[in-house]
Amino acid sequence: MTQSMLKSIRFILVTATICGATSAFAANLDEIKSKGSMTVATEDNYKPFEFIEDGTPKGLDHALLALLKQQSSFTVEQQIIPWTGLLPGVTSGKYDVALTAAVITPERVKSLDFTMPIAEATQYYVVRQDEAGIKSVADLSGKTVGVQSGGASYAALSDLKEMLAKTGGQLGTVQQYTSFPEAYQDLANGRLDYVINGVVNLTSLTKEQPGMFKMGQAVARPAYAAWAVQKGNADLLAYLDDFLLKARKSGDLYQLQQEWLGTTFKDMPETPTTK
């Protein structure tokens, strides 16, 4: 086999590999209307936004999804999956929308487009109720923390590092989990000193288990949660934003926030932001 033939084969193999690794395009709004359906993915264990109770999907996102189904001229098909498959599934084109309270982060906006926020999602820490040695962010220095792998709590560690450095402290051991219930269990058992999660999630946790956990201070800059679509899917993004804006103006969003989150966020921006 000649050298030129070898080069040609290598080129073909490399090209095939690149093409195979390229993400598929999610359906745009015209394609969704044409085929009559849109596929959305929601999480299975993200209380109070998405969770399963007695076999029934519940939470803020499920309630908003029900409204979206009522107002859409096409069928909205739902896939309930673990968190780890949500955003990659939208990036790859497997799902049209990650209809989940995904925290908007600088890293995520590189590969996804986000709707206007559906809730605030500033990251806080939570400790055991009987924890006496952690009273502020400064006390987290050197302690073992639990975060969700690839999630906003993990992304918040960079902000926490800066906050600790200002008081001469440093980040301790980081344990990553696929879901928060596992992290909370390890916190309760003493394997972790604290867990980081969004303010809404931790408020829900501490209300449900006041004798077990208590929430501390913010460990990162203000953040928001929103739904995500594939980067560049502008028409679908506009459709979802229009739906959410109507839900704000009608008061439906705030009513559902109060019902599922126990509070309302009426001063959220109308555009996604990481600031």
Side-chain angles (χ1 to χ4, degrees):
M1 186 177 293
T2 65
Q3 189 68 23
S4 61
M5 289 177 67
L6 285 172
K7 288 182 179 179
S8 296
I9 292 173
R10 290 193 189 100
F11 175 80
I12 292 171
L13 289 173
V14 170
T15 302
T17 300
I18 292 173
C19 291
T22 301
S23 296
F25 289 104
N28 60 37
L29 186 58
D30 286 340
E31 291 169 337
I32 287 171
K33 290 180 177 179
S34 178
K35 69 179 181 179
S37 66
M38 175 175 73
T39 303
V40 304
T42 61
E43 194 176 340
D44 60 350
N45 202 353
Y46 190 39
K47 203 170 186 177
F49 292 103
E50 302 142 71
F51 60 101
I52 308 297
E53 188 173 274
D54 298 327
T56 302
K58 294 185 177 182
L60 175 62
D61 283 312
H62 290 296
L64 286 172
L65 174 57
L67 283 181
L68 181 63
K69 288 180 176 180
Q70 291 175 10
Q71 299 178 25
S72 297
S73 60
F74 44 81
T75 301
V76 181
E77 299 174 350
Q78 180 186 15
Q79 297 288 329
I80 301 177
I81 63 173
W83 158 255
T84 51
L86 277 176
L87 300 186
V90 171
T91 301
S92 68
K94 184 177 182 179
Y95 310 112
D96 298 315
V97 185
L99 205 150
T100 184
V103 182
I104 308 166
T105 67
E107 187 63 30
R108 288 175 180 171
V109 297
K110 294 177 182 178
S111 58
L112 296 161
D113 283 333
F114 288 87
T115 64
M116 64 177 64
I118 63 167
E120 186 178 334
T122 304
Q123 301 294 296
Y124 280 66
Y125 73 82
V126 65
V127 296
R128 290 179 297 278
Q129 180 59 248
D130 61 359
E131 174 62 67
I134 299 178
K135 299 179 179 179
S136 68
V137 172
D139 297 326
L140 301 178
S141 178
K143 300 291 195 300
T144 301
V145 57
V147 297
Q148 187 178 50
S149 179
S153 57
Y154 180 81
L157 294 176
S158 58
D159 282 355
L160 178 55
K161 284 181 182 179
E162 294 180 9
M163 296 173 71
L164 290 172
K166 292 178 180 179
T167 58
Q170 61 182 6
L171 189 65
T173 302
V174 177
Q175 298 287 350
Q176 298 187 52
Y177 295 82
T178 56
S179 67
F180 279 107
E182 299 173 70
Y184 298 147
Q185 185 64 42
D186 276 359
L187 176 61
N189 292 335
R191 297 188 182 94
L192 298 174
D193 296 309
Y194 66 106
V195 170
I196 295 175
N197 200 354
V199 58
V200 170
N201 308 86
L202 294 186
T203 298
S204 175
L205 174 72
T206 52
K207 281 184 177 180
E208 288 187 354
Q209 303 185 58
M212 183 68 70
F213 303 110
K214 60 183 178 182
M215 189 164 67
Q217 301 172 334
V219 296
R221 67 195 72 188
Y224 298 93
W227 299 345
V229 301
Q230 193 178 62
K231 196 75 175 175
N233 202 345
D235 289 342
L236 179 56
L237 183 68
Y239 178 81
L240 296 171
D241 273 336
D242 181 63
F243 162 75
L244 290 171
L245 185 58
K246 288 178 180 177
R248 287 190 185 194
K249 290 182 176 180
S250 68
D252 287 340
L253 174 61
Y254 306 122
Q255 180 181 342
L256 292 174
Q257 284 180 340
Q258 185 63 50
E259 177 182 351
W260 291 105
L261 310 184
T263 188
T264 59
F265 301 103
K266 296 185 178 181
D267 297 324
M268 299 183 297
E270 290 187 3
T271 55
T273 177
T274 58
K275 298 180 181 180

